[in-house]
Amino acid sequence: MILTDGLRSAVAAVRLWFSPARIREEGATPDYRFSLANERTFLAWLRTGLALVGGGFAVDQFLPRLHPGVRLAFTLVLLVGGALCALRAVNHWVRCERAMRRGEDLPVSRFPTALALAVGVLAVAVVVLVLLGWTG
């Protein structure tokens, strides 16, 4: 029952991604400056996702002498991170827009911290591999 309710809630949230007009039905229209700031944040997250995808392709193409398993792992982490950023962007945009319309506090997320830690660990790992000469 709980899983079903959670799944129903998740499906309803994803449906809002594709019907922003339904969001307008909730609450009062916020100050346009806040909606535009929310949109700029959304676009910044999309740029971050695209950068991660580009980094994944760069690791795959420009570190050919790296152990294939390590190269594949780095590539996949970056590509999956880029995909998660894009999904998180739209989800966060919808959640913030709904909160502003309802007069609620903006939602908080652990995603930025997790993303920063993952990118930092990956960057340190690449630096170590380069210093050890494992990248050719």
Side-chain angles (χ1 to χ4, degrees):
M1 181 87 172
I2 292 173
L3 179 61
T4 305
D5 290 340
L7 184 59
R8 232 180 258 136
S9 175
V11 168
V14 170
R15 282 186 181 155
L16 284 176
W17 296 2
F18 300 100
S19 59
R22 284 182 43 205
I23 295 170
R24 287 186 172 177
E25 296 170 1
E26 295 188 33
T29 301
D31 185 326
Y32 289 107
R33 293 173 293 179
F34 299 127
S35 289
L36 292 172
N38 190 28
E39 185 176 334
R40 285 190 300 273
T41 302
F42 166 76
L43 294 172
W45 278 104
L46 284 183
R47 286 190 301 271
T48 301
L50 286 171
L52 289 169
V53 168
F57 286 123
V59 165
D60 187 53
Q61 294 299 308
F62 298 120
L63 297 177
R65 298 189 68 198
L66 189 61
H67 184 277
V70 174
R71 189 175 77 221
L72 178 63
F74 285 4
T75 299
L76 288 177
V77 165
L78 289 165
L79 292 175
V80 168
L84 289 175
C85 264
L87 294 173
R88 189 249 184 224
V90 70
N91 185 51
H92 191 70
W93 176 82
V94 167
R95 289 173 58 213
C96 286
E97 196 66 27
R98 290 178 82 191
M100 287 188 295
R101 290 184 154 280
R102 294 175 174 175
E104 300 171 351
D105 289 339
L106 293 179
V108 295
S109 174
R110 292 185 183 109
F111 186 81
T113 302
L115 179 65
L117 289 173
V119 169
V121 167
L122 191 63
V124 168
V126 170
V127 167
V128 168
L129 291 175
V130 167
L131 290 175
L132 293 175
W134 290 5
T135 60

